[in-house]
Amino acid sequence: MKELVVISGKGGTGKTSIVAAFASLAKNAVLADCDVDAADLHLVLDPKIRRREDFSGGSKAQVMPERCTGCGLCVRLCRFDAVHQSGPGSDGTSVVAAVDPIACEGCGVCVHFCPEKAIELFPAVNGEWFVSETRCGPLVHARLGVAEENSGKLVSLVRSHAKRIAQEKSLDLVLIDGSPGIGCPVIASITGADLVLVVTEPTLSGRHDLERVAALTKHFGIRTLVCINKWDLNEEMTARIEERALGLGLKTVGRIRYDQSVTRAQIARKSLVEYQDSGTAAEMMQVWCEVLEALNIEEK
C-alpha cells in the first residue's frame, strides 16, 4: 500500500480538482480528504455517508453550580477571560462562576485550583468525520466546526482510518487531498507518506509558496513532484518555476492549462476526466501516469 498526498502552498491552485481527476482514474484506491478546515472533495464525488462520528480534539471546563461558593479564584486565574461570575450559588445568595465555552482553551487551571472541586473538564466536540462510499471508491472525510482548533489531530484520524480501510480491502493506494500551506494540518497530512505532489500556479506567490512547501517535504525526507496548474496564464513565470523546482531537486511532472471546462465539470458534480477525455483532461491523465510511475504502481 502506498500513500500519495496532493498539497499546495496556497489555496485556489486547483489541488482538489486534480485529486478528483486522480480519484476517477485510480482503480484500486481509498480516498481521504485531509483539508478538514475547508473540505470540498465531496462536492465532486457525491459521497453516500455510511458512518458518522463526532470528533473531540480537546476539552472544555464546566462549573458545577451546586458545588460553587462564588469565591472568584477561577475568574482571577483564567488568563483567557473565559470565566465570569453569574447567577446564585448553592446557598442561594452568593454569585457563582460560569465558563464561556468559546473562550475556554481547556487548559485546566481552574479545575486544578478550585478549592471546592466545582469545575470539571469535559470532552469538546470540535467537528465530525465520515466514512462514505463514492463511485470512485471509499472516502474518509471530515468537517471541522466553525473557529475550532486541533485540525492536525482530525487529519491524523482521517488518515489512519483511510489506511485501515485500504488494508482491510487490500487496496493499493491511499489518495490524500491535503491542506494548503505548511502548517500543522499539512504536516499531519504528509508525515510518513510515500510521495507528495505539489500543485502550484504561475504567479510570484505560487513560486514563493512552492519553495516553502519544498523545504517542508525535504525536512521530512519525502519524495516530492511538482505540477504547474493554469500554466498558460503566465508562460514566463511557468518557466521560472520549473527552473526553480529543478534547482530545489524537484521534478516537474506536468503542465495543466487553464480551462473553463473544469468549472463546468464541477457544476455537473464530475471530475474533468469524467466530463471530457481531451485537452486539459489529457494533461491530467499524463500527470497521473507520471505519479503512478514514481509510486511504482502498475495501472490495472
Side-chain angles (χ1 to χ4, degrees), residues 6-219:
V6 182
I7 60 175
S8 57
K10 60 180 287 294
T13 62
K15 166 179 59 65
T16 299
S17 298
I18 293 173
V19 171
F22 287 178
S24 301
L25 295 167
K27 305 300 182 183
N28 199 21
V30 58
L31 317 172
D33 191 346
C34 289
D35 189 2
V36 297
D37 292 283
D40 53 9
L41 185 59
H42 63 282
L43 299 176
V44 178
L45 299 184
D46 194 22
K48 302 295 184 288
I49 297 174
R50 305 302 184 198
R51 179 181 177 185
R52 180 194 299 260
E53 300 282 350
D54 286 336
F55 166 68
S56 177
S59 302
K60 300 287 185 182
Q62 184 175 332
V63 177
M64 306 295 108
E66 67 276 7
R67 303 182 209 162
C68 180
T69 60
C71 69
L73 179 61
C74 54
V75 178
R76 296 191 296 273
L77 289 178
C78 182
R79 302 190 65 178
F80 304 100
D81 295 324
V83 189
H84 60 277
Q85 291 183 315
S86 174
S90 56
D91 59 3
T93 58
S94 59
V95 177
V96 300
V99 177
D100 178 355
I102 295 178
C104 178
E105 293 287 330
C107 67
V109 168
C110 57
V111 176
H112 180 78
F113 286 100
C114 178
E116 304 299 328
K117 305 300 179 185
I119 310 178
E120 298 181 11
L121 285 176
F122 294 91
V125 177
N126 306 114
E128 293 180 293
W129 62 275
F130 316 91
V131 178
S132 300
E133 289 295 332
T134 76
R135 62 186 180 276
C136 301
L139 168 66
V140 186
H141 52 124
R143 178 172 55 216
L144 196 65
V146 176
E148 294 289 355
E149 299 180 351
N150 294 312
S151 56
K153 290 184 179 180
L154 184 52
V155 167
S156 296
L157 187 150
V158 168
R159 275 188 73 190
S160 66
H161 279 276
K163 287 191 285 187
R164 184 179 304 170
I165 291 172
Q167 292 169 348
E168 291 172 354
K169 295 180 178 291
S170 299
L171 301 176
D172 294 334
L173 178 66
V174 178
L175 175 57
I176 298 171
D177 185 4
S179 301
I182 59 171
C184 181
V186 181
I187 294 171
S189 297
I190 68 173
T191 304
D194 296 285
L195 183 68
V196 165
L197 175 66
V198 180
V199 179
T200 188
E201 59 185 9
T203 63
L204 190 59
S205 63
R207 174 183 170 176
H208 172 69
D209 291 332
L210 172 62
E211 293 176 347
R212 297 166 69 218
V213 172
L216 181 67
T217 58
K218 180 180 180 181
H219 174 78

